[in-house]
Amino acid sequence: MKSLPYFCRGEVVRGFGRGSKELGIPTANFSEEVVDSFPSDISTGIYYGWASVGNGDVHKMVASIGWNPYYKNVKKSVETHIIHTFAGDFYGEILSIIIVGYIRPEKNFSSLDALIAAIQDDIEEAKKKLDLPEHQKLKEDNFFHTTTVTNIVNGH
Ligand code: ADP
Ligand code: RBF
Ligand code: MG
């Protein structure tokens, strides 16, 4: 995947409201425009990387890109679960992410519990991978240190 690492910024919009309620794993969704702007060589699947809300701290993240086969979505989505506990929601804020590496393809599951267990494994995998020295550099990237993150900008 030649587009990795992929730098992406956009407003956090409302999704189906399933992440927190059904799964206990909230995912910040990007708008359709941002989803449509993704390069075609970033295939659907589960990824790990870095994320920051507004001008906030940089945290580890896992992201799901695709159609959520378990839910049979018709629209492609890009959803980021930030591995950090926030005080509340941040709809309307600007989320900046760097997609660093690929974990696995999207799968269908026979139960909600199996989907949740798979996501928990993804989170553990992301935590481990992002501790590697080669990935620490991207955490410090200037992309996260622009002083005024006011506009929706795609790319670097
Ligand atoms: P939706 O379907 O609207 O995306 P979710 O249940 O997936 O709803 O919840 C996502 C929302 O939860 C995000 O848009 C954000 O405002 C909030 N949120 C709180 N903590 C986190 C987190 N650690 N990672 C991602 N989103 C979070
Ligand atoms: N949905 C699926 O249908 N299949 C998956 O394999 C899958 N893996 C995911 C992995 C991660 C790390 C995350 C954050 C989400 C994943 N989802 C998957 C998406 C999940 O169904 C979605 O976040 C909820 O439907 C809330 O929108
Ligand atoms: Mg969501």
Side-chain angles (χ1 to χ4, degrees), residues 12 14-17 19-20 26-29 80 82 84 86 89-91:
V12 176
R14 280 180 193 277
F16 297 100
S20 330
T27 59
N29 293 47
T80 303
I82 304 169
H84 175 75
F86 290 89
D89 286 347
F90 43 84
Y91 289 110

Side-chain angles (χ1 to χ4, degrees), residues 123-140:
I123 291 171
E124 290 314 309
E125 170 92 6
K127 284 186 188 165
K128 245 189 287 168
K129 283 270 165 60
L130 291 164
D131 277 338
L132 297 172
E134 66 253 42
H135 294 143
Q136 288 296 313
K137 270 182 269 155
L138 284 170
K139 184 186 183 182
E140 315 294 335

Side-chain angles (χ1 to χ4, degrees), residues 18-19 23 27 46 62 64 68-71 79 81 104-107 109 115 119 122:
R18 281 192 304 241
L23 305 174
T27 59
I46 314 308
V62 279
S64 159
N68 301 2
Y70 181 80
Y71 289 100
E79 310 175 26
H81 171 69
R104 63 173 174 90
E106 283 191 296
K107 283 187 289 200
F109 292 93
L115 170 61
I119 297 176
D122 296 333

Side-chain angles (χ1 to χ4, degrees), residues 7-111:
F7 298 72
C8 177
R9 227 194 297 279
E11 188 181 347
V12 176
V13 302
R14 280 180 193 277
F16 297 100
R18 281 192 304 241
S20 330
K21 273 188 233 114
E22 266 192 62
L23 305 174
I25 304 159
T27 59
N29 293 47
F30 280 128
S31 69
E32 224 174 304
E33 291 70 39
V34 172
V35 175
D36 290 343
S37 75
F38 264 62
S40 51
D41 77 316
I42 294 189
S43 62
T44 60
I46 314 308
Y47 293 82
Y48 62 88
W50 299 106
S52 161
V53 177
N55 288 317
D57 291 344
V58 180
H59 302 287
K60 293 173 178 175
M61 65 80 164
V62 279
S64 159
I65 303 177
W67 287 273
N68 301 2
Y70 181 80
Y71 289 100
K72 301 182 173 59
N73 285 356
V74 289
K75 263 191 347 199
K76 189 174 169 182
S77 66
V78 176
E79 310 175 26
T80 303
H81 171 69
I82 304 169
I83 306 173
H84 175 75
T85 305
F86 290 89
D89 286 347
F90 43 84
Y91 289 110
E93 296 216 42
I94 302 298
L95 171 66
S96 301
I97 64 171
I98 303 179
I99 300 174
V100 175
Y102 179 79
I103 302 180
R104 63 173 174 90
E106 283 191 296
K107 283 187 289 200
N108 202 347
F109 292 93
S110 51
S111 71

